Amino acid sequence: MQQQQHNRYEKARILGARALQISYGAPVLTETEQTQPILIAAEEYDAGVLPFTVKRGYDRK
């Protein structure tokens, strides 16, 4: 599956949402030694394991 390209605003929104999930106890999807939720979210994003999709205005049908 090809990973969707995100702009910096979309990436920030995704990382923030995922960091909040992790801080509330969501399971971590990658092996990491990080302890801060935002850094864990960034590693997950870089690994391409986050199940987020972005629906843009021009993508909607």
Side-chain angles (χ1 to χ4, degrees), residues 4-18:
Q4 188 177 16
Q5 295 292 323
H6 301 116
N7 63 37
R8 60 183 169 173
Y9 304 107
E10 293 165 344
K11 182 178 177 181
R13 179 68 175 92
I14 291 168
L15 292 180
R18 181 61 185 150

Side-chain angles (χ1 to χ4, degrees), residues 21-59:
Q21 290 177 347
I22 293 169
S23 70
Y24 280 110
V28 177
L29 303 176
T30 60
E31 294 284 329
T32 182
E33 296 181 3
Q34 300 292 338
T35 57
Q36 296 180 2
I38 192 68
L39 298 177
I40 296 170
E43 281 193 12
E44 289 179 341
Y45 182 86
D46 291 339
V49 297
L50 294 180
F52 287 93
T53 57
V54 175
K55 292 196 173 201
R56 298 180 180 105
Y58 57 86
D59 287 346

